[in-house]
Amino acid sequence: MAQYVAIIEDADPDAVSLWFPDLPGCISGGDDVDEALESAPEALAFYAQELIAEGRQLPPPRPLDELKADPEFADDLGKHTVVLIEWPPLDDDAE
C-alpha cells in the first residue's frame, strides 16, 4: 500500500489545511486536524478520479527523505506537521 506525504498547516485559528507535495492541487481541510485527516482519503480519491478522466494515473509517492531534499518543499516540511496518508485507504471492514 502506498503512503503519500501530507503537510498539515493551520490556515487560521478556525481552519486546518492538508496538502500533498506529490499531488499539486490535492488538498483537504477542516475545522481541526482530525477533520482534515479524516477527509484526506476522499481528497485523494477525487484527485485520482480527475487524473483517470484525463487518461493519467496518480504518480508514485516519494519517500519523506526525498521530499526533504527537494528545495521546493524542504521549508514547508520543516515548519509544519507531516503525516502519511495511505492509498488506497483501508476499507472499514478490513480494519
Side-chain angles (χ1 to χ4, degrees), residues 1-88:
M1 180 167 306
Q3 293 184 319
Y4 283 91
V5 171
I7 297 174
I8 299 173
E9 294 185 41
D10 292 327
D12 64 50
D14 298 322
V16 173
S17 65
L18 179 148
W19 56 278
F20 299 87
D22 285 326
L23 308 172
C26 184
I27 60 171
S28 175
D31 294 334
D32 56 32
V33 171
D34 289 338
E35 197 172 289
L37 287 170
E38 186 176 310
S39 62
E42 183 178 338
L44 266 170
F46 180 74
Y47 192 87
Q49 287 173 352
E50 291 294 312
L51 288 179
I52 290 167
E54 296 171 1
R56 302 183 314 167
Q57 296 180 8
L58 280 173
R62 290 183 285 172
L64 182 57
D65 288 343
E66 189 175 323
L67 287 169
K68 285 180 179 179
D70 185 334
E72 184 177 356
F73 304 114
D75 190 48
D76 287 322
L77 290 166
K79 291 191 306 189
H80 302 291
T81 302
V82 176
V83 296
L84 296 174
I85 304 295
E86 291 188 359
W87 184 256

